[in-house]
Amino acid sequence: MTIDLVIENGTVVTASGALKTDIAIDGEKILALGTRSAFPKAERVIDAKGKIVIPGGIDTHSHFEVFFMGARPQENWDTGTIASAIGGTTTTIDFAPQDKGESLLDAAKRQLARAKELSVIDYTTKPILNELTDLDKILNGMKEVIDYGIPTFKAFSIYRKQGWYADDWQLYKFIKQASENGGMMTIHAENCLIGEESQKELVKQGKTDPKYHGVAKPNFVENLTNQACMIIAEALRARTYIVHTTTKEGPGIIAEYRNKGLPVFCETCPHYLWLTEDLFEPKLPRGIMYMCSPPLRKREDVDALWEGIRDGTVHTIGSDHVCYTKKQKEEHCDTFADIPNGFPACEVRVPVAFQEGVLKRKISLQRFAEVVSTNAAKIFGFYPKKGIIAPGSDADIVIIDPDKKHSLNAADLHMGTDLSVFEGMEVTGWPVVTVLRGKVIVENEKFLGKPGQGEFVKGKLDDSIMATV
Ligand code: URP
Ligand code: ZN
Ligand code: ZN
């Protein structure tokens, strides 16, 4: 018998910690861990000596091909997911906003069809509940989507002008309906009234520069809605996931309810783990590029989020990848409230976590693998198919060279934009091999696969697995 692939001599991050072991892969699956000499002969052997081997990254939060705030990223599913793969991500959990009058299932299928045609990594989606005029239609539609194998959704507690704002009644109904039918709401938590009225007031006063973004939406604006969602989750004993948490208080708010035994989870993003609000100045050429919601915060918030990762109260790192160009940001920059929100980040998500977490803050390799991969698989319902290096699991594997330095300038990255919010910065530690279901799809930043090779990953939430996060 000959097997397809062996990865030998690496430091492999497994469920029981980082250890020296070889990995046997046959077809799309991991066959065994152990010593190469005990494995059958392999078609190919990759020597991972001196390298870190982790389960393929799972991005909990990408926005490929969406139209939002007057602009559509130039990048498509193929170029976007090639960048993800180069950066060590093998599965993405994307979003499907509803078009006018569209059912949730149709929105999901539309995004899945684009991904099926173009994605180079595995994928699923979260329908965004934004066609809010007919609440019953949405609630009925959620069940249909969960049965289709897509158990998670997103709602926004803000963005009134864009028509995406769900009020407290709607959020309550969504959290209830999702959880009662085997699903989970993920929520963009910012208090709409205070955040958007403050925006208007500031603009009226002529305070239109990017630095006023954080003045309009300080920590408490995010914490208020985060806390409200937790109170609702407790009342309903419902699964609830807060996306892109930025504040130093956020992980603690969620942990209070987690500690009561509730299935509630906290996500943050690479930019909130490194960048700070001083980047908002000056407006040009810099400040407008750093517009995302919630806003960048202070160094103390960055530090607290890392402590949350260390102590296990921050569960996942999602990229919140929205790939606007500099021109697209500039075209809508009259006031900070008009600038399209979001950053390109799908490629740098894993490397930033490695550099700032493992190297700088001495986060353990196991915790690193949990926040970039394992916890996502557990929370979104596809563990142990993904998120773990173990026999029987999909052979989604990333080999990181911990000594490889890499610039984060847009020109040195592969995302479909000339904008990098990490311009001028560098990481140490970069993926050198990415394996998707047994196939080497990236080697030394060279993409070796083809568009459409990614597969839809069905999810089924399992409370006993979620409880292990
Ligand atoms: O600024 C952000 N996060 N833009 C993307 C849309 C969202 O809120 O997730
Ligand atoms: Zn959001
Ligand atoms: Zn987002």
Side-chain angles (χ1 to χ4, degrees):
M1 178 195 179
T2 308
I3 59 172
D4 292 319
L5 179 63
V6 164
I7 298 172
E8 65 171 2
N9 300 325
T11 298
V12 181
V13 187
T14 69
S16 44
L19 47 103
K20 292 259 185 271
T21 182
D22 303 333
I23 307 169
I25 294 163
D26 198 35
E28 298 196 340
K29 300 286 180 187
I30 295 168
L31 189 67
L33 304 188
T35 317
R36 183 186 157 195
S37 56
F39 300 154
K41 198 170 164 328
E43 293 287 338
R44 180 165 181 202
V45 177
I46 296 176
D47 185 4
K49 192 165 187 316
K51 312 283 195 301
I52 314 288
V53 184
I54 63 165
I58 301 174
D59 190 346
T60 51
H61 191 143
S62 66
H63 299 267
F64 292 120
E65 299 190 3
V66 290
F67 184 83
F68 180 53
M69 293 185 79
R72 181 196 182 283
Q74 314 277 291
E75 173 191 80
N76 288 325
W77 267 93
D78 49 354
T79 49
T81 54
I82 288 171
S84 299
I86 291 171
T89 289
T90 51
T91 301
T92 196
I93 308 170
D94 200 70
F95 291 100
Q98 292 177 280
D99 277 348
K100 226 158 185 52
E102 192 177 40
S103 76
L104 288 172
L105 188 58
D106 285 345
K109 284 183 174 169
R110 181 167 46 76
Q111 271 296 71
L112 292 181
R114 288 293 291 167
K116 185 176 164 59
E117 188 189 338
L118 295 174
S119 184
V120 311
I121 61 174
D122 288 354
Y123 56 84
T124 182
T125 189
K126 308 179 204 86
I128 293 180
L129 314 183
N130 58 277
E131 271 293 284
L132 300 169
T133 44
D134 187 343
L135 189 57
D136 284 340
K137 184 174 169 196
I138 290 234
L139 294 171
N140 293 333
M142 288 170 80
K143 203 177 155 344
E144 203 178 24
V145 172
I146 296 167
D147 293 343
Y148 193 76
I150 300 172
T152 57
F153 304 87
K154 181 175 182 186
F156 291 86
S157 65
I158 198 161
Y159 294 129
R160 206 164 18 177
K161 200 164 101 187
Q162 288 74 22
W164 289 28
Y165 161 66
D167 62 27
D168 285 355
W169 169 244
Q170 291 164 332
L171 282 183
Y172 162 75
K173 293 293 278 184
F174 296 158
I175 291 172
K176 186 168 190 295
Q177 179 75 350
S179 204
E180 284 177 354
N181 288 283
M184 177 175 72
M185 281 309 300
T186 78
I187 292 164
H188 176 129
E190 291 186 288
N191 184 283
C192 184
L193 273 178
I194 300 177
E196 293 193 348
E197 291 306 320
S198 298
Q199 278 183 344
K200 276 197 233 157
E201 188 176 71
L202 287 162
V203 169
K204 220 155 125 190
Q205 292 166 354
K207 296 176 176 164
T208 58
D209 281 5
K211 67 180 174 194
Y212 293 107
H213 185 46
V215 177
K217 301 199 284 189
N219 286 28
F220 84 90
V221 168
E222 178 179 333
N223 295 340
L224 264 177
T225 304
N226 181 344
Q227 176 86 57
C229 291
M230 290 301 110
I231 292 172
I232 294 171
E234 184 180 23
L236 298 170
R237 299 210 67 79
R239 301 177 200 99
T240 306
Y241 178 102
I242 304 295
V243 298
H244 49 47
T245 304
T246 72
T247 71
K248 63 178 189 286
E249 299 87 5
I253 294 172
I254 296 164
E256 186 191 333
Y257 293 83
R258 195 76 219 287
N259 292 340
K260 296 180 187 180
L262 292 165
V264 290
F265 303 98
C266 176
E267 174 196 89
T268 191
C269 309
H271 30 286
Y272 301 125
L273 290 167
W274 201 349
L275 308 179
T276 49
E277 62 184 9
D278 44 289
L279 290 161
F280 285 135
E281 285 190 282
K283 175 179 177 180
L284 284 166
R286 198 169 75 176
I288 64 168
M289 304 302 163
Y290 290 91
M291 193 59 51
C292 69
S293 283
L296 296 178
R297 305 290 185 194
K298 296 188 170 31
R299 182 59 51 197
E300 66 204 49
D301 296 289
V302 171
D303 292 342
L305 291 172
W306 277 115
E307 280 318 298
I309 287 178
R310 192 188 305 283
D311 69 20
T313 54
V314 173
H315 305 107
T316 56
I317 300 176
S319 67
D320 201 358
H321 176 80
V322 193
C323 203
Y324 297 123
T325 58
K326 286 184 181 173
K327 185 159 172 276
Q328 285 179 307
K329 294 267 192 194
E330 279 160 6
E331 271 169 359
H332 302 84
C333 78
D334 284 351
T335 81
F336 69 87
D338 303 317
I339 301 168
N341 282 196
F343 297 156
C346 65
E347 184 176 1
V348 301
R349 185 184 71 94
V350 174
V352 164
F354 187 80
Q355 149 75 39
E356 289 296 281
V358 177
L359 295 187
K360 184 165 150 195
R361 293 172 194 259
K362 310 297 173 214
I363 298 289
S364 71
L365 284 173
Q366 195 165 352
R367 182 69 85 209
F368 162 66
E370 282 167 5
V371 292
V372 300
S373 174
T374 309
N375 288 348
K378 290 180 171 180
I379 294 170
F380 288 87
F382 38 84
Y383 183 88
K385 175 177 166 62
K386 298 200 178 283
I388 180 172
I389 297 180
S393 295
D394 280 4
D396 296 347
I397 290 173
V398 170
I399 304 177
I400 296 172
D401 179 346
D403 300 316
K404 185 170 175 182
K405 292 192 184 313
H406 200 290
S407 134
L408 298 183
N409 292 344
D412 300 313
L413 297 170
H414 302 82
M415 296 176 285
T417 173
D418 57 352
L419 167 63
S420 166
V421 290
F422 297 97
E423 194 75 25
M425 298 164 84
E426 175 181 91
V427 287
T428 302
W430 193 266
V432 286
V433 174
T434 302
V435 180
L436 173 71
R437 283 179 281 103
K439 214 168 145 250
V440 175
I441 61 166
V442 176
E443 208 162 348
N444 295 318
E445 295 187 50
K446 194 167 175 340
F447 175 63
L448 304 170
K450 58 176 190 334
Q453 70 188 11
E455 285 183 358
F456 170 41
V457 188
K458 287 195 176 194
K460 189 165 173 26
L461 304 191
D462 181 328
D463 288 321
S464 63
I465 290 178
M466 292 168 104
T468 65
V469 168

